């Protein structure tokens, strides 16, 4: 087993540098540049390149061609000014074909046994009701067919396939209930959500660093990543991603549970799934439900009830939350989807109590760290799981 890596990191503080940018961009750049060192993990999260994954195919969505009678109905509806119901029409000409099988590919320690069981499952395939239905599909009636994939958390989504209807159908027939190779556009999916499955955590080298350069153009920042020897790598599509990196870094350095979860992945004892950043918490803090950092202060400090009321009024503002989920592959946590939640709080939320409860404010300042994401401290840390 690898030693616990206490040097897991994402991004460094920035420093002003003078750099010849002519080889990077032909655009007019004003002022000096700012350089950040970023880890292999950070480069993966920022990279706009496609990512190849393996996902379980559990079925498909069939989009049928609109029959002539349906086309005539639409034409008559237009002539009579009758409003169409798009959702109803879409449902009339689409069909979800999904497998109800709970059997996963065998994964025993004995490779020979796995191979034997896989062969048996392959021989039983023609008797699978979904397999029969797909094989009997009138492909001339099909306009489009997409694969339905399911991740380990039982979340399902559609994957577009390449080729003709015949080729797509044959791919689904061949891949049903198996792991199939798919490609997603990039690690960053949308709205603060990253897919972490494409990163090989076991290969993480804490000493490897890339260069993130912040440029200023027309009073707006633009970022690009350079290789270790300062060659151009790629432009960053969205500046918000840099804020996520800073927040992730602060969370790792202040939340031992998050660092522990990442170390499980680095040691090969867990598989990473998703990383999600949010500004909203599902639960609100109150005097009866306080985060641990304030519960400890109630024990060690003399905080009056009216002072505590003022404090709790500030706790639900200016939060930044990091969700990291993963699945252990060894030990008692197998077949459980764990989610680690780090709730970071901005010190500026406590400005209103700074003068009224100075002893609490000074205690919190000791816990804050500074970065481009702000002056944050760990408000709360939680971990839960669900069986999968």
């Amino acid at each position: 087993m690898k030693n616990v890596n206490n040097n897991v990191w994402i991004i460094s503080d920035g420093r002003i540098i003078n750099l010849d940018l002519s080889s990077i961009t032909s655009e007019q750049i004003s002022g000096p540049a700012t350089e950040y060192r970023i880890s292999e993990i950070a480069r993966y999260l920022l990279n706009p390149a496609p990512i190849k994954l393996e996902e379980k195919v559990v079925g498909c969505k069939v989009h049928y061609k609109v029959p002539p009678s349906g086309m005539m109905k639409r034409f008559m509806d237009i002539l009579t000014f009758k409003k169409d119901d798009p959702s109803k029409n879409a449902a009339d000409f689409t069909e979800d074909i999904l497998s109800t099988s709970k059997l996963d590919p065998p994964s025993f320690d004995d490779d020979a046994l796995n191979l034997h069981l896989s062969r048996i499952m392959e021989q039983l395939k023609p008797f699978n009701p979904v397999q029969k239905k797909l094989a009997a599909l009138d492909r001339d009636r099909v306009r489009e067919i997409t694969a339905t994939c399911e991740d380990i958390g039982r979340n399902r989504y559609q994957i577009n396939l390449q080729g003709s209807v015949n080729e797509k159908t044959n791919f689904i027939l061949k891949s049903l209930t198996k792991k199939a190779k798919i490609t997603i556009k990039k690690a960053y999916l949308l709205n603060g959500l990253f897919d972490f499955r494409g990163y090989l955590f076991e290969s993480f080298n804490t000493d490897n660093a890339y260069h993130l350069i912040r440029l200023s153009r027309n009073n707006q920042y633009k970022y690009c990543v350079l290789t270790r020897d300062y060659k151009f790598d790629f432009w960053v599509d969205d500046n918000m991603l840099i804020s996520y990196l800073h927040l992730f870094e602060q969370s790792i350095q202040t939340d031992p549970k998050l660092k522990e979860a990442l170390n499980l992945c680095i040691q090969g004892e867990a598989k990473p799934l998703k990383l999600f950043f949010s500004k909203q918490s599902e639960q609100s803090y109150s005097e009866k439900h306080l985060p641990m950092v304030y519960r400890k202060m109630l024990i060690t400090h003399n905080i009056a009830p009216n002072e505590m009321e003022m404090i709790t009024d500030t706790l639900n503002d200016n939060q930044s939350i990091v969700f990291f989920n993963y699945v252990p592959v060894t030990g008692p946590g197998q077949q459980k989807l764990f989610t680690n939640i780090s709730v970071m709080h901005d010190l500026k939320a406590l400005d209103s109590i700074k003068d009224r409860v100075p002893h609490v404010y000074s205690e919190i300042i000791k816990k804050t760290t500074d970065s481009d994401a702000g002056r944050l401290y760990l408000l709360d840390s939680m971990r839960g799981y669900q069986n999968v």
Side-chain angles (χ1 to χ4, degrees):
M1 181 189 296
K2 296 181 183 178
N3 292 326
V4 173
N5 190 335
N6 289 315
N7 298 316
V8 180
W9 66 287
I10 302 299
I11 187 170
S12 72
D13 292 331
R15 66 184 184 98
I16 304 297
I17 60 168
N18 290 313
L19 185 67
D20 180 9
L21 304 174
S22 59
S23 62
I24 298 174
T25 178
S26 59
E27 299 177 17
Q28 186 65 38
I29 301 298
S30 59
T34 302
E35 178 190 36
Y36 304 86
R37 291 172 65 252
I38 60 172
S39 68
E40 295 173 342
I41 296 173
R43 181 184 179 274
Y44 167 82
L45 296 173
L46 294 177
N47 201 328
I51 294 169
K52 292 184 178 179
L53 302 171
E54 284 192 342
E55 196 67 284
K56 184 178 178 182
V57 178
V58 296
C60 62
K61 180 182 281 288
V62 182
H63 302 256
Y64 293 103
K65 296 174 183 176
V66 179
S69 58
M71 295 174 68
M72 180 61 71
K73 179 181 180 299
R74 289 185 181 182
F75 179 65
M76 293 303 295
D77 286 345
I78 292 172
L79 290 180
T80 58
F81 300 100
K82 184 177 180 181
K83 288 188 177 180
D84 204 6
D85 184 349
S87 61
K88 184 178 179 181
N89 287 331
D92 287 343
F93 302 113
T94 62
E95 181 181 15
D96 285 304
I97 302 176
L98 299 171
S99 174
T100 57
S101 173
K102 300 296 182 183
L103 291 176
D104 289 321
S107 57
F108 295 101
D109 292 334
D110 189 332
D111 291 337
L113 177 60
N114 290 333
L115 181 61
H116 177 67
L117 292 173
S118 294
R119 285 172 177 167
I120 293 175
M121 290 173 69
E122 196 66 29
Q123 291 172 349
L124 293 174
K125 257 189 173 183
F127 303 97
N128 184 309
V130 174
Q131 202 85 14
K132 285 183 178 181
K133 190 166 187 176
L134 274 174
L137 195 65
D138 183 354
R139 301 185 186 187
D140 290 334
R141 290 186 54 224
V142 177
R143 176 175 58 82
E144 179 61 281
I145 185 167
T146 56
T148 303
C149 293
E150 183 178 83
D151 64 21
I152 197 163
R154 305 296 183 191
N155 300 305
R156 291 176 177 174
Y157 57 95
Q158 301 300 310
I159 292 293
N160 294 324
L161 304 173
Q162 300 294 321
S164 65
V165 167
N166 278 335
E167 290 169 331
K168 294 174 183 179
T169 306
N170 290 338
F171 170 83
I172 295 167
L173 278 166
K174 183 179 177 181
S175 306
L176 194 63
T177 71
K178 285 184 179 178
K179 289 288 182 74
K181 292 182 179 180
I182 64 170
T183 301
I184 62 175
K185 289 184 178 180
K186 54 186 176 181
Y188 183 56
L189 302 176
L190 76 170
N191 300 333
L193 179 63
F194 295 82
D195 196 318
F196 238 145
R197 293 173 299 165
Y199 179 68
L200 187 60
F201 261 93
E202 292 176 71
S203 68
F204 175 70
N205 185 339
T206 188
D207 296 325
N208 283 348
Y210 297 84
H211 308 280
L212 176 70
I213 308 298
R214 185 178 72 187
L215 314 171
S216 179
R217 183 174 66 86
N218 298 330
N219 295 321
Q220 290 188 330
Y221 290 135
K222 193 170 184 178
Y223 293 86
C224 69
V225 174
L226 307 183
T227 62
R228 281 172 281 179
D229 54 355
Y230 284 92
K231 304 293 186 194
F232 178 76
D233 199 357
F234 55 83
W235 289 104
V236 177
D237 292 338
D238 185 348
N239 288 0
M240 191 63 199
L241 304 188
I242 311 303
S243 299
Y244 293 145
L245 292 190
H246 287 295
L247 177 56
F248 196 26
E249 170 70 23
Q250 285 185 282
S251 301
I252 291 171
Q253 303 312 327
T254 57
D255 186 353
K257 289 181 182 177
L258 177 57
K259 183 173 283 190
E260 178 188 52
L262 292 168
N263 273 309
L264 286 175
C265 298
I266 291 171
Q267 294 161 17
E269 296 179 9
K271 289 184 178 179
L273 296 178
K274 298 290 195 299
L275 175 68
F276 178 55
F277 297 88
S278 173
K279 289 288 185 183
Q280 295 181 339
S281 176
E282 292 183 359
Q283 61 182 9
S284 297
Y285 294 110
S286 64
E287 292 181 61
K288 292 183 178 179
H289 177 66
L290 286 171
M292 181 59 70
V293 63
Y294 286 97
R295 275 184 273 161
K296 287 180 178 177
M297 273 195 273
L298 276 175
I299 298 172
T300 58
H301 293 72
N302 184 21
I303 303 177
N306 64 318
E307 292 177 339
M308 183 50 66
E309 185 179 353
M310 285 188 294
I311 293 170
T312 53
D313 286 343
T314 71
L315 298 184
N316 297 307
D317 297 325
N318 298 97
Q319 292 181 0
S320 296
I321 308 166
V322 180
F323 299 81
F324 175 64
N325 61 19
Y326 60 96
V327 177
V329 294
T330 60
Q334 282 182 284
Q335 302 305 311
K336 290 182 172 64
L337 172 62
F338 282 84
T339 300
N340 199 95
I341 304 172
S342 307
V343 183
M344 305 297 291
H345 198 215
D346 199 314
L347 185 65
K348 66 185 179 184
L350 303 182
D351 282 348
S352 61
I353 67 166
K354 180 165 54 175
D355 297 326
R356 303 175 72 179
V357 198
H359 55 294
V360 171
Y361 187 82
S362 61
E363 195 70 29
I364 292 297
I365 282 182
K366 298 175 186 176
K367 303 177 184 297
T368 61
T369 55
D370 296 347
S371 80
D372 286 17
R375 298 190 69 186
L376 308 179
Y377 68 97
L378 182 68
L379 180 63
D380 212 347
S381 176
M382 296 160 275
R383 183 182 294 170
Y385 70 87
Q386 65 184 78
N387 294 315
V388 294

